[in-house]
Amino acid sequence: MKKLMLGNEAIARGAYEAGVSVATAYPGTPSTEITEAIAKYDEVYSEWSPNEKVALEVAIGASVAGGRAICSMKHVGLNVATDPLFTVSYTGVNGGLVICVADDPGMHSSQNEQDSRNYAKAAKIPMLEPSDSQECKDFIIRAFELSEKFDTPFIIRLTTRISHSQSFVELGERFEVPTKPYNKDFNKYVMMPGMAKKRRVIVEERMNKLNLFANETDLNQIIWGSNKDIGIITSGIAFQYSKEAFGDVSYLKLGMVYPLPEKLILEFASKVKTLYVIEELDPFIEEFLKQNGIQCIGKEKLPVMGEYCASLLREQLLGIKEDNITSVEENVPGRPPVLCPGCPHRGVFYTLKKNKLTVTGDIGCYTLGALPPLESMDTCVCMGASIGMAHGMEKVRGNEQKRVAVIGDSTFIHSGITGLIDVVYNKGTSTVIILDNSITGMTGHQHNPATGYTIKGEKTRQVDLVQLCKAIGVDRVTVCDPFELDEFEKIIKEETAINEPSVIIAQRPCALLKTVNYKGKVRVNDKCKYCKVCMRLGCPAIVDTGDSIVINEALCVGCDLCMEVCKFGAFEKVGDTNE
Amino acid sequence: MSNISIMIAGVGGQGTLLTSRVLGTAAIKAGYDVKMSEVHGMAQRGGSVITYVKLGDKVDSPVIEKGEADILLCFEKLEALRYIDYARKDGIIIVNDQRIDPMPVIIGKQNYPDDITSKISSNNSNVYIIDALEVAANLGNIRVLNIVMVGFLAKSTGIKKELWYEAIRETVKEKFIDINIKAFDEGYRMAENYSR
Ligand SMILES: Cc1ncc(C[n+]2csc(CCOP(=O)(O)OP(=O)(O)O)c2C)c(N)n1
């Protein structure tokens, strides 16, 4: 049976068919749907782990125990997981182990644009790169077989356009793979210097074998066109762009991007006149060619950043410019993403701005609080950074300016806890606001340890954030509702004035959760003085028409935050009210 | 079988993703190779959202580029203006005559451009302006505006009506099938009766 599937769904399907027994992940666009899709298969144990490092460690454990395991993450997630990554390269596997990493060229939804192929090389772990959904499925199955054959983890590299594009996939049956026996093997799995030195040698031997394999495997394919004047070496989505731009020329399509097939590349290069290397982001393949003395055209003509597309290739490499374009000269206002109507974070940022606090921020929906009109976030670097950065700022500037760190519930669990320990241990006085909206919002509603449910929606023990913070040594922990603006502001003033660490847990669920049931809509009455204070909320449902304020009823969810802000009672509830 | 590139532009929450699924499913039924691409993540929080649906004998790149869309289906006027250059000069542009202010306009930092529809029409001779929102509202559920748009577009694809019905039945939730079929019919009829 053929089915239209997202690349991510095809990865999940492939893992299922390959008999995977454990799937772990921390969510992150564009990788999230992989594990969401695997979780639908009852045969597979799957979990949202607290972060990518733990996710990979769980997968390694499953592999050592003899099961096939897959661990998925976005590119920056691999940074978090690199510690186990670099050493699992030494231990190798028992059951097959595959790590899926999704890069985001063009940064559709990421804070940076890194090229994960560099990790494959640095960790000496082989890497495959599919170019459509069918290959996603096929490659993952191959990766499991090869992982066991070569006793190494495999990495599958995806990019946004592979993960989030749909194309046809031929479905197969699940292949039940029996759990391999587990034998205690000190020399293989205990990486102390004495054993690691021996495994280090094995890694190089394995690389030699993989180098040979790369030249022979059908994962790498030469596709001769009727035209050998032009030859293109490419992989992944760039193969599709190349085909669209160049059509019937010759291609060396690499399905295995690390290690690269030296002999095959030499053979291909020697038979074509002009050789292009077409790859998004870093000149990873190109540098390999140049090292081996092979002339090619690559980054001298093509950008090292952003996504490619066929017209870019046509323009840069063939000098053909698209001119069949409908165009209108006009200054088009942007449409940046915004906090949703009813978003609990709005109450927090409204108050932070009002109090002119310096805010070290973090990553999640709440990062949108950095944009106008809320504009109340000073920094955002990586998950968990808010707390450490607040502490670092304090060590330079003392408390001359009032300062808070804001961090989401999922992000706090992911990597905020250690930062908070640092504040307490090293005598800081930071105030940390945990934005507990009962879900991992940004990536599309995944459960996490603070929600009390598993990936399969089963109830589980919920992390008690209050107890956790107290155990760390924060004596001042306050739980409050960010929509009770007066109370919330009072707490913020108190906690930032005090000379000791404190945590404020701002608790109100995400307005998009099914359990949240705001009723009715708000309307503006004639008490409105057009003072525009409500406009500071940045609620998409409140509109300034130029001479009055109106509510866009299609967007209003009836959260009532505007009623809380207006001193004149100009907002009133209509329709279905709770009373 | 000639290739058709359809680009859908709208605002997060307007149902553009479902639209592309219905389109893709109908195209498969008609025997096309299909590729679709969408970007998740930040786009969903009320930002501008675009999806691509490409049909043909054999589709390579899932992405549609400037000057490539045979059909540009716009759920909102400003988004039509933003992505107008993706439409071929001789391409078809279908615009839902709805205005949704983006945050820079809401807070008074920028203006919503005037006369968008006439600006678009003066640069392309295949522009269709429809009020899908009103049609959907008359049917009793503004959320089906996306399928009204699909109905209108269906007319230009040459894919048989029955296949669209099947695609809708397979894609939308069971209790919404009837209203979506009605929405499709309304859109299709609008396309048949459209006069500039
Ligand atoms: C290392 C890393 N992993 C994953 C992500 C993707 N990501 C960004 S924000 C976020 C979760 C945010 O959830 P939460 O902290 O609960 O805030 P919310 O979005 O619910 O407001 C994730 C998973 C990332 N940016 N970096």
Side-chain angles (χ1 to χ4, degrees):
Chain A
M1 193 180 97
K2 255 186 167 184
K3 219 181 141 192
L4 207 54
M5 282 182 143
L6 284 174
N8 282 348
E9 291 168 339
I11 290 282
R13 181 69 198 186
Y16 166 78
E17 289 179 15
V20 80
S21 56
V22 169
T24 64
Y26 181 74
T29 315
S31 71
T32 311
E33 298 82 4
I34 298 173
T35 313
E36 284 178 333
I38 297 181
K40 296 196 179 123
Y41 296 111
D42 291 337
E43 296 90 331
V44 185
Y45 167 81
S46 39
E47 71 167 45
W48 291 130
S49 311
N51 64 35
E52 293 85 353
K53 178 175 182 290
V54 176
L56 181 52
E57 289 155 352
V58 173
I60 294 171
S63 158
V64 169
R68 287 190 166 180
I70 180 172
C71 175
S72 311
M73 61 197 70
K74 70 182 290 173
H75 61 326
V76 286
L78 192 54
N79 300 338
V80 178
T82 40
D83 203 6
L85 183 82
F86 275 65
T87 304
V88 73
S89 167
Y90 284 31
T91 64
V93 304
N94 185 20
L97 174 63
V98 176
I99 298 142
C100 275
V101 57
D103 287 1
D104 188 16
M107 293 176 275
H108 292 285
S109 38
S110 306
Q111 70 266 36
N112 76 18
E113 189 184 47
Q114 59 192 52
D115 188 330
S116 295
R117 292 176 299 173
N118 298 305
Y119 272 128
K121 186 174 174 196
K124 298 176 186 284
I125 295 177
M127 178 182 259
L128 307 185
E129 184 173 27
S131 71
D132 62 18
S133 297
Q134 181 67 50
E135 284 189 355
C136 283
K137 200 200 89 168
D138 296 345
F139 283 18
I140 198 107
I141 296 172
R142 292 289 291 279
F144 275 110
E145 292 162 6
L146 294 170
S147 166
E148 286 168 6
K149 178 171 170 207
F150 287 97
D151 190 7
T152 174
F154 259 70
I155 305 176
I156 301 256
R157 182 204 189 210
L158 306 166
T159 53
T160 302
R161 295 292 177 190
I162 297 295
S163 286
H164 285 172
S165 292
Q166 303 191 38
S167 56
F168 282 116
V169 177
E170 187 68 53
L171 302 188
E173 295 292 313
R174 177 168 164 98
F175 184 72
E176 285 301 338
V177 183
T179 303
K180 292 187 165 184
Y182 168 69
N183 297 316
K184 181 168 171 160
D185 188 347
F186 174 87
N187 283 309
K188 182 158 156 54
Y189 297 122
V190 184
M191 286 304 93
M192 295 161 72
M195 292 74 99
K197 283 177 194 166
K198 290 185 204 139
R199 294 298 305 179
R200 177 75 188 81
V201 179
I202 293 175
V203 170
E204 289 311 312
E205 289 167 5
R206 184 180 75 206
M207 283 311 303
N208 290 339
K209 287 183 202 151
L210 284 162
N211 279 324
L212 293 177
F213 173 79
N215 286 303
E216 288 152 14
T217 174
D218 61 355
L219 288 162
N220 297 325
Q221 279 178 2
I222 293 181
I223 306 162
W224 293 117
S226 51
N227 176 343
K228 285 191 187 172
D229 286 351
I230 293 182
I232 296 173
I233 303 182
T234 183
S235 72
I237 192 69
F239 170 67
Q240 307 291 358
Y241 299 149
S242 304
K243 269 190 73 186
E244 184 137 334
F246 286 86
D248 180 25
V249 298
S250 298
Y251 299 89
L252 170 53
K253 177 184 171 299
L254 300 172
M256 185 162 182
V257 289
Y258 187 75
L260 287 164
E262 191 184 327
K263 253 178 53 196
L264 195 66
I265 290 175
L266 275 169
E267 181 199 328
F268 183 73
S270 69
K271 289 187 182 149
V272 298
K273 263 197 210 139
T274 310
L275 182 61
Y276 295 107
V277 174
I278 301 180
E279 54 187 330
E280 286 178 331
L281 305 183
D282 294 342
F284 186 83
I285 303 172
E286 182 180 341
E287 278 174 2
F288 180 81
L289 262 66
K290 299 220 156 128
Q291 254 169 34
N292 285 286
I294 302 169
Q295 287 302 314
C296 62
I297 301 168
K299 297 295 177 187
E300 64 191 82
K301 291 271 176 75
L302 296 169
V304 290
M305 36 181 180
E307 291 189 291
Y308 286 4
C309 59
S311 59
L312 175 106
L313 301 181
R314 264 184 236 118
E315 196 171 325
Q316 293 299 110
L317 303 178
L318 301 174
I320 304 169
K321 219 173 140 50
E322 184 59 68
D323 58 2
N324 183 13
I325 292 180
T326 308
S327 63
V328 176
E329 289 300 315
E330 178 81 39
N331 194 3
V332 182
R335 192 183 297 276
V338 289
L339 293 175
C340 305
C343 177
H345 302 327
R346 184 168 282 111
V348 174
F349 290 109
Y350 171 80
T351 310
L352 296 181
K353 178 158 190 193
K354 190 172 163 204
N355 287 276
K356 301 196 173 63
L357 293 164
T358 299
V359 180
T360 53
D362 228 298
I363 307 195
C365 288
Y366 51 94
T367 316
L368 297 171
L371 303 180
L374 292 163
E375 289 172 301
S376 45
M377 189 178 286
D378 292 59
T379 66
C380 165
V381 175
C382 67
M383 289 190 76
S386 58
I387 303 181
M389 286 180 70
H391 185 58
M393 279 183 138
E394 178 182 347
K395 294 302 174 188
V396 172
R397 312 197 73 88
N399 282 330
E400 63 174 20
Q401 183 160 26
K402 296 246 181 295
R403 186 181 310 116
V404 295
V406 295
I407 184 165
D409 50 346
S410 184
T411 307
F412 180 68
I413 301 276
H414 178 282
S415 49
I417 300 169
T418 41
L420 188 60
I421 291 175
D422 187 45
V423 171
V424 174
Y425 171 54
N426 286 307
K427 304 183 178 182
T429 67
S430 292
T431 299
V432 175
I433 305 178
I434 301 176
L435 305 164
D436 181 5
N437 61 350
S438 311
I439 202 75
T440 313
M442 183 85 258
T443 40
H445 281 193
Q446 292 77 29
H447 282 295
N448 69 56
T451 71
Y453 290 88
T454 69
I455 192 170
K456 300 215 181 194
E458 291 156 4
K459 226 175 156 20
T460 181
R461 179 82 181 235
Q462 183 176 13
V463 169
D464 183 331
L465 293 174
V466 175
Q467 290 298 331
L468 176 63
C469 296
K470 290 205 162 154
I472 285 172
V474 180
D475 293 328
R476 302 181 66 92
V477 182
T478 323
V479 179
C480 61
D481 176 353
F483 274 18
E484 288 184 8
L485 294 174
D486 293 341
E487 176 67 13
F488 186 62
E489 186 171 358
K490 198 178 121 232
I491 293 170
I492 286 190
K493 284 194 163 133
E494 269 171 30
E495 297 308 317
T496 51
I498 285 268
N499 237 358
E500 60 175 290
S502 57
V503 171
I504 302 167
I505 302 176
Q507 231 164 34
R508 178 172 274 258
C510 171
L512 302 181
L513 285 173
K514 282 206 193 80
T515 47
V516 174
N517 213 353
Y518 294 122
K519 296 253 166 66
K521 310 256 176 208
V522 170
R523 187 177 290 165
V524 183
N525 62 29
D526 56 10
K527 292 185 202 147
C528 176
K529 303 266 186 296
Y530 193 49
C531 70
K532 301 207 237 182
V533 168
C534 53
M535 292 308 295
R536 294 182 199 155
L537 287 171
C539 174
I542 307 179
V543 180
D544 178 0
T545 62
D547 54 9
S548 65
I549 301 292
V550 294
I551 295 283
N552 179 341
E553 281 203 20
L555 295 178
C556 176
V557 296
C559 76
D560 301 353
L561 185 63
C562 51
M563 294 170 75
E564 190 70 22
V565 165
C566 181
K567 284 202 207 64
F568 305 106
F571 292 107
E572 61 189 29
K573 204 65 179 279
V574 289
D576 207 357
T577 52
N578 266 329
E579 288 94 68
Chain B
M1 214 180 263
S2 62
N3 286 20
I4 310 178
S5 296
I6 304 169
M7 174 160 162
I8 306 164
V11 177
Q14 281 191 304
T16 52
L17 291 186
L18 184 81
T19 307
S20 59
R21 289 195 186 132
V22 173
L23 281 176
T25 311
I28 295 170
K29 292 179 181 299
Y32 283 103
D33 182 27
V34 177
K35 278 193 183 166
M36 306 203 277
S37 186
E38 54 204 42
V39 171
H40 307 193
M42 294 299 267
Q44 285 167 330
R45 307 277 169 283
S48 84
V49 185
I50 49 174
T51 56
Y52 310 120
V53 184
K54 291 174 84 170
L55 340 170
D57 276 336
K58 168 94 180 70
V59 182
D60 294 316
S61 163
V63 176
I64 294 174
E65 298 160 28
K66 287 188 178 160
E68 237 183 49
D70 298 298
I71 305 177
L72 179 63
L73 188 68
C74 309
F75 282 54
E76 198 270 352
K77 288 189 285 186
L78 185 62
E79 297 315 305
L81 196 56
R82 186 186 321 283
Y83 294 110
I84 187 83
D85 48 356
Y86 281 76
R88 302 161 54 90
K89 250 187 210 141
D90 51 356
I92 295 170
I93 303 176
I94 304 168
V95 184
N96 175 32
D97 194 4
Q98 190 185 350
R99 166 176 174 167
I100 302 177
D101 287 350
M103 197 45 75
V105 171
I106 290 178
I107 62 176
K109 287 211 167 144
Q110 273 180 293
N111 291 323
Y112 195 97
D114 302 322
D115 307 326
I116 291 182
T117 49
S118 54
K119 279 173 192 155
I120 292 176
S121 303
S122 65
N123 277 279
N124 178 303
S125 51
N126 292 315
V127 179
Y128 299 86
I129 313 289
I130 63 174
D131 193 341
L133 185 65
E134 191 192 70
V135 176
N138 288 341
L139 287 171
N141 186 347
I142 55 172
R143 305 204 59 153
V144 300
L145 99 89
N146 55 357
I147 303 299
V148 176
M149 300 285 288
V150 170
F152 196 96
L153 169 145
K155 187 80 195 352
S156 331
T157 59
I159 297 174
K160 281 200 292 239
K161 243 179 162 178
E162 284 62 39
L163 300 181
W164 290 102
Y165 291 150
E166 281 177 32
I168 291 170
R169 280 194 203 101
E170 285 172 28
T171 316
V172 309
K173 286 215 186 87
E174 186 156 356
K175 60 177 176 174
F176 296 119
I177 289 176
D178 287 348
I179 186 163
N180 276 294
I181 298 275
K182 277 189 201 142
F184 177 89
D185 283 342
E186 286 294 327
Y188 199 90
R189 195 167 319 141
M190 277 164 93
E192 284 175 328
N193 301 336
Y194 192 88
S195 58
R196 281 205 188 80

